[in-house]
Amino acid sequence: MGKKVAIVLSGCRVYDGSEIHESSAVLVHLSREGAQSIAIRIPDCSVTTHLIDLVGPIAVTSANPTGEADTTHHNQVYAKLGDKVDAVLCDGPSPENIASTVVDCTKIESGNIGFYRVGIVPKSQVLQILEQVQRKHIQGHTNGGVTMVSQKKQQHLSHAISNGIHAASPEESALTSFTNVLEKTAAEETVTSSFASFIHGVRPEHLSEVVRYRSKRMILDGIGVGLVGSTTRVFNIALRYCQQLYASNAVSSVYGRKGLKLSPTLAAFTNGIAAHSMDFDDTWHPATHPSGSVLPALLAASQMLPPSSKPNGLDFLLAFNVGTEVQGRLMHFSTEAHNIPKRFHPPPVVGTMGSAAATAKLLSLNVTQCAHVLALAASLAGAPMANAATQAKPLQIGNATRLGLEAALLAARGMEASPLILDDIPGCSGSSAFYGDYRPKPLPLPANSHECLLEKQDVAFKHFPAHLGMHWIVDAAVSARNLLINCSSSFSPSLICAILLRIPVSKYINRPFPESEHQARHSFQFNACTALLDGEMGLNSFTDGCIHRQELMELLAKVLVEHPEDNIANFDKMYGEVALVLENGDVLTGRCDTFYGHWRKPLSRESLLKKFRSNACHVLPEDKVNSIIMTVENLENLPDSSQLASSL
């Protein structure tokens, strides 16, 4: 009698119905009385496959006593089986901790299969593989869904698709199995598992030209606002904090600080703060800032990986779009999320999830790990709106991108979390805790094509650093100012009796007398009156000198606010209106329905490059600025994406 060897496998690969070679299969014999059945598995484990190459197919049972929990480490095998086996093949811990899917194929010749148990492999993927095998049979490549190892004869089939746990099949078809060992996905056919499958399965060819064009614009703009943001006080506070923390792996670059490196998570944190320090980063609909939460994590992660594993530019672009897509899909789970937020700041909610998803994609995590990444990120997500218009608001973006990266790193090291985090489970909230009207939908795994949300919904790029809502009121104020100049040949504040702002209801951006730069960036009143005085808005509009000047205070004292019912607090529906009531009784009204830079009126390439150059030149020489532009616009051809981070 042969030696008894216990084997703990660390993974399985997808089998698509092609020929099974005798040197690639592990046979698991079910010895229950009266059960003439076996299962065949093709492991994705280099140690095991090498052993099979040496000795041929191996007949084994599970490495645990019947009825007891599965063993996932050789130490558990020693503990449970002890001296009952002659040897244990050790290959470290197995990441598989979810029950297998067991499929009854006894009626496969009639086109039917049954499910004894749905576990780590969802029904949908089993049925998809079955359909593929049936098509091959019709085309003459297979017979009855059976691919024969020996090619000698066809035999009746019964087999279970599992992730390492045995299942039934008639003994006579031992080596002619419909063998499908599928790559790990989420535990069940759930919303969460569909997102995990999407993150893992989406490919560069699923990105349309429109999506590539728009996402590269987002990346370029995100870098620009991050570079200029590295000049702000809040960024420097965060940077000094991070420099004081011990970090043994300082490998990731910091915006605008040549030669300075931090650990990947701290670099993501500081660069995320820079991106939102002026509220100058892009805005999407439903309302969030998609780039600021994702881009810094990817830049940091790209420098973290060893030279042999550096992702290329196309990998980077794909990961960025995964992070963007996940954010958008999550926002669409709630109608509440479509409007200007009231409870939670969206980036530290969906942005953390987007950062985690993007990093998981860049690190090539498997499907199960991708599900855990989302769940871990959810535990690190969330920030209240009360901190808007304070230095804590850019901190929230820094946390979103940092904590998303940390979630991916933790999942890569084996940390697990709820496999149902995105699903709506009554009495046990996951992501539904952030929204009162949460209705999740699965994210389909791309087939030949995939329409990203970015293709249907472009982002808005800001032309001055303030909350997006300010752009409507500023354009309306400039229009009203021009009307006054046309009437009186010059702009004279003394001619104005009252200033009426017609704006949507949104408490955190309704600030009559802001006292700091962050409050000023979130004040309809301040932005309208500053635009009336100066005719434009820019970086210098939010300095202490501009905020507290006497002529501005006098104009702010004349402001009245109205909230028309048709002016909805929604970036796709709102408008801004500024009416100047003059001393002579005349009323001059400026209105903006869509500002330049909004997704309905996108910036031209020339305008976007002008903004980027203006921002980047605050901290980088002109030749470096031009090099970054060329790199981003040709990102798909970049052999090593860490070169982009190194240039910042």
Side-chain angles (χ1 to χ4, degrees):
M1 186 171 180
K3 295 282 187 179
K4 301 173 184 175
V5 179
I7 303 174
V8 180
L9 298 177
S10 63
C12 298
R13 64 181 174 86
V14 174
Y15 173 67
D16 60 2
S18 55
E19 181 178 354
I20 302 174
H21 296 281
E22 294 188 5
S23 62
S24 67
V26 174
L27 306 185
V28 184
H29 179 239
L30 305 191
S31 58
R32 293 191 185 96
E33 185 177 354
Q36 298 180 347
S37 57
I38 66 167
I40 300 177
R41 178 171 56 177
I42 305 175
D44 187 18
C45 171
S46 58
V47 173
T48 310
T49 52
H50 180 64
L51 178 62
I52 296 169
D53 288 339
L54 294 176
V55 303
I58 306 169
V60 297
T61 65
S62 297
N64 59 278
T66 301
E68 293 191 15
D70 301 331
T71 53
T72 58
H73 194 281
H74 54 262
N75 288 339
Q76 295 173 333
V77 177
Y78 281 121
K80 291 188 176 186
L81 299 181
D83 57 3
K84 295 180 180 179
V85 295
D86 297 293
V88 176
L89 179 62
C90 302
D91 187 28
S94 169
E96 298 153 2
N97 298 300
I98 300 173
S100 60
T101 296
V102 182
V103 183
D104 175 16
C105 297
T106 56
K107 299 180 181 179
I108 195 171
E109 289 184 336
S110 63
N112 298 314
I113 60 174
F115 289 84
Y116 288 114
R117 178 177 66 200
V118 177
I120 195 167
V121 181
K123 279 186 180 181
S124 58
Q125 195 165 359
V126 175
L127 295 174
Q128 182 181 13
I129 297 296
L130 172 63
E131 183 180 352
Q132 293 173 0
V133 174
Q134 287 174 330
R135 282 201 300 266
K136 288 184 179 181
H137 166 58
I138 294 172
Q139 295 167 357
H141 298 302
T142 61
N143 189 350
V146 178
T147 302
M148 291 180 287
V149 176
S150 62
Q151 297 288 322
K152 294 179 180 179
K153 60 180 179 179
Q154 301 174 12
Q155 301 176 350
H156 182 61
L157 169 66
S158 174
H159 179 67
I161 299 174
S162 68
N163 197 34
I165 310 300
H166 50 255
S169 174
E171 180 124 350
E172 66 267 20
S173 61
L175 294 178
T176 60
S177 169
F178 167 51
T179 302
N180 284 294
V181 181
L182 302 175
E183 194 171 23
K184 292 167 64 176
T185 63
E188 296 177 357
E189 206 170 0
T190 63
V191 173
T192 306
S193 69
S194 73
F195 271 67
S197 295
F198 172 83
I199 295 168
H200 177 75
V202 68
R203 297 290 178 261
E205 55 267 26
H206 297 132
L207 304 181
S208 69
E209 290 301 318
V210 171
V211 169
R212 294 188 185 200
Y213 169 76
R214 289 178 173 175
S215 56
K216 286 189 288 185
R217 282 162 58 92
M218 293 166 67
I219 291 170
L220 185 65
D221 184 68
I223 291 172
V225 300
L227 289 169
V228 71
S230 70
T231 65
T232 61
R233 181 170 180 268
V234 64
F235 171 82
N236 281 288
I237 292 173
L239 180 59
R240 288 194 298 272
Y241 164 76
C242 291
Q243 286 178 293
Q244 291 170 0
L245 294 180
Y246 173 77
S248 60
N249 58 337
V251 297
S252 299
S253 302
V254 178
Y255 282 147
R257 298 296 187 273
K258 183 179 180 181
L260 176 62
K261 298 290 181 66
L262 296 174
S263 67
T265 55
L266 293 183
F269 176 66
T270 54
N271 290 340
I273 289 175
H276 199 60
S277 62
M278 295 183 176
D279 219 310
F280 211 179
D281 45 339
D282 56 22
T283 304
W284 210 12
H285 178 71
T288 194
H289 304 286
S291 298
S293 301
V294 170
L295 182 57
L298 293 178
L299 291 170
S302 69
Q303 293 181 290
M304 176 186 70
L305 295 170
S308 60
S309 303
K310 293 289 188 186
N312 60 36
L314 188 55
D315 296 329
F316 188 98
L317 187 62
L318 178 62
F320 179 84
N321 277 281
V322 166
T324 302
E325 184 78 358
V326 166
Q327 291 181 79
R329 295 284 176 167
L330 293 175
M331 295 294 287
H332 277 82
F333 287 175
S334 166
T335 54
E336 174 188 331
H338 284 63
N339 298 329
I340 296 175
K342 298 177 182 179
R343 296 195 299 158
F344 292 97
H345 189 206
V349 177
V350 299
T352 308
M353 310 287 275
S355 169
T359 308
K361 187 63 180 178
L362 196 72
L363 299 180
S364 300
L365 300 191
N366 64 39
V367 185
T368 300
Q369 289 171 322
C370 288
H372 292 317
V373 162
L374 293 172
L376 291 169
S379 285
L380 303 172
M385 284 305 302
N387 275 327
T390 71
Q391 289 184 342
K393 188 166 183 266
L395 184 74
Q396 294 172 356
I397 302 286
N399 275 333
T401 189
R402 169 191 181 175
L403 296 175
L405 171 58
E406 289 187 358
L409 296 178
L410 289 169
R413 285 158 176 76
M415 185 169 285
E416 300 175 351
S418 169
L420 301 173
I421 197 66
L422 302 184
D423 294 80
D424 189 13
I425 308 299
C428 187
S429 295
S431 293
S432 60
F434 296 111
Y435 298 102
D437 59 340
Y438 186 80
R439 287 181 289 276
K441 296 180 180 179
L443 176 54
L445 183 66
N448 296 326
S449 63
H450 174 74
E451 186 177 34
C452 294
L453 291 178
L454 187 58
E455 183 159 3
K456 297 187 287 186
Q457 174 67 64
D458 201 356
V459 299
F461 294 111
K462 302 174 182 179
H463 52 86
F464 63 91
H467 184 276
L468 192 71
M470 305 305 107
H471 288 66
W472 278 273
I473 209 67
V474 163
D475 279 14
V478 171
S479 296
R481 184 181 193 272
N482 291 336
L483 291 175
L484 181 56
I485 292 174
N486 290 337
C487 292
S488 59
S489 300
S490 64
F491 179 79
S492 175
S494 62
L495 298 176
I496 301 173
C497 175
I499 303 170
L500 178 60
L501 307 185
R502 298 188 177 97
I503 56 176
V505 176
S506 186
K507 186 175 180 61
Y508 82 101
I509 47 180
N510 184 354
R511 299 177 182 272
F513 293 96
E515 297 179 356
S516 69
E517 64 158 306
H518 294 285
Q519 290 182 8
R521 299 183 198 279
H522 295 77
S523 168
F524 280 121
Q525 294 89 334
F526 172 85
N527 283 270
C529 291
T530 301
L532 286 172
L533 281 176
D534 302 334
E536 62 180 1
M537 300 294 292
L539 294 181
N540 294 328
S541 300
F542 302 93
T543 61
D544 285 344
C546 288
I547 292 172
H548 300 294
R549 51 185 163 159
Q550 183 59 35
E551 58 268 39
L552 179 64
M553 295 296 106
E554 292 173 357
L555 274 186
L556 287 172
K558 298 178 181 182
V559 173
L560 302 172
V561 171
E562 287 185 358
H563 301 299
E565 290 185 2
D566 66 338
N567 200 352
I568 302 170
N570 181 303
F571 291 144
D572 204 40
K573 299 176 181 179
M574 67 172 287
Y575 62 86
E577 205 165 88
V578 177
L580 305 180
V581 182
L582 306 184
E583 291 288 349
N584 63 7
D586 290 344
V587 178
L588 305 176
T589 302
R591 177 175 169 125
C592 175
D593 292 299
T594 304
F595 64 86
Y596 182 48
H598 190 270
W599 44 82
R600 290 193 297 268
K601 194 183 291 185
L603 293 184
S604 66
R605 178 177 181 272
E606 292 72 21
S607 295
L608 187 68
L609 291 182
K610 181 180 179 181
K611 176 188 175 182
F612 176 77
R613 292 182 192 278
S614 175
N615 287 335
C617 283
H618 281 272
V619 292
L620 295 178
E622 185 176 357
D623 61 333
K624 183 76 74 173
V625 172
N626 291 331
S627 175
I628 293 172
I629 292 172
M630 291 292 295
T631 298
V632 174
E633 290 191 334
N634 296 280
L635 191 56
E636 297 96 326
N637 302 317
L638 189 66
D640 177 1
S641 62
S642 68
Q643 295 173 7
L644 177 60
S646 300
S647 67
L648 306 179

